[in-house]
Amino acid sequence: MKLEEPVKNEEVVQLTGYSFFHFHRLFQEKVGMSLHEYVRQRRLTSAANILIYTDTRILDIAFKYQFESQESFTRAFRKAYGLPPGKYRGLMRTLLEEKNEQEVEMMEGWFLSGAHNKGYEMRRDFKNVHQGKVAGHLRSVRSILEGEFGTVMQQFHANEWYEKRMKLSCFIQTKGVEGFTGLWMRIDGKDGDTLQFDNMQNRPITGTTGWNYYSVVLDVPENAGAIFFGVMLQGSGEVWMDEFTFVEVDKKTPSTNIMMPENMPSKPSNLDFELEFKDMGESHE
């Protein structure tokens, strides 16, 4: 299914194995918007890239992405980007011409960390974007040794999230990842100890993948002090990230905390060490 083609319900059913109604409900629950709204936003993002990097006529772009006319495309584009397509093309080209494309720039609010992170580089990418104008990009820039990793990350106080279950999500695309990459989040206590953690190591992203939606879910205890999050890359490769969101979810949404064993019992047992003998006695009765 391509962005340039109409979305057909029967194709969705064939690809997913779900009824369209069930798939639509699951999609909206996970992504926060309908499938058709998501496709429309992705089409506008692709159209914005074509406007900047090609001289394709606006009318041809409108038809390419399934808009009925240039007028309907212009209305939708202005609503998403705040400018009509022609003005957006001129403004963005001027901004990019003034920018040194080889310059590795800082991304406001983000910093680069990790083990031997000098082997990695972070930057903003104006070409490969999931939605909007810019995406984050992390890549290896030299031969990476075993165990080395880099991460694009942020940190903030936990006080607004006390005793809540937090879901962090974003869209990720990869190219040539030889180790693994993943979205991650960590909750640290006020004493600095790690309370909750998930880096998707039990569901790693590897190789080359298109834009996909990922999430981690952790509980924020009352004694939490700070929340750390980002996208990590272990080994060589490239990873793009876009549209990070934080939302509170209820207890029906499972936690992805990897610090707690999956098979941990809900209560203690055999406190007098005689469970086996009691079972044997009962079996003889």
Side-chain angles (χ1 to χ4, degrees), residues 30 161 164-169 183-187 195-200 202-203 213-220 245-260:
K30 288 287 186 182
W161 291 90
K164 296 178 180 179
R165 178 160 287 187
M166 170 191 283
K167 178 181 176 181
L168 165 66
S169 62
L183 179 66
W184 66 270
M185 179 165 59
R186 191 179 81 229
I187 314 294
L195 305 175
Q196 300 251 318
F197 179 65
D198 181 20
N199 66 354
M200 292 183 57
N202 57 355
R203 52 196 193 286
Y213 176 86
Y214 300 95
S215 64
V216 298
V217 179
L218 298 179
D219 292 316
V220 184
T245 59
F246 288 92
V247 295
E248 180 183 0
V249 294
D250 59 27
K251 299 300 181 180
K252 294 179 181 178
T253 302
S255 169
T256 61
N257 180 27
I258 63 174
M259 294 185 65
M260 179 179 294

Side-chain angles (χ1 to χ4, degrees), residues 69 124 144:
S69 65
R124 295 192 300 168
I144 301 298

Side-chain angles (χ1 to χ4, degrees), residues 259-274:
M259 294 185 65
M260 179 179 294
E262 292 183 1
N263 298 322
M264 181 178 291
S266 59
K267 58 183 179 180
S269 63
N270 196 22
L271 300 181
D272 58 4
F273 306 102
E274 297 185 10

Side-chain angles (χ1 to χ4, degrees), residues 55-71:
D55 293 321
T56 305
R57 295 188 310 164
I58 294 174
L59 178 61
D60 294 335
I61 297 173
F63 289 152
K64 176 183 177 71
Y65 289 109
Q66 302 297 310
F67 287 89
E68 295 178 354
S69 65
Q70 183 170 329
E71 289 74 19

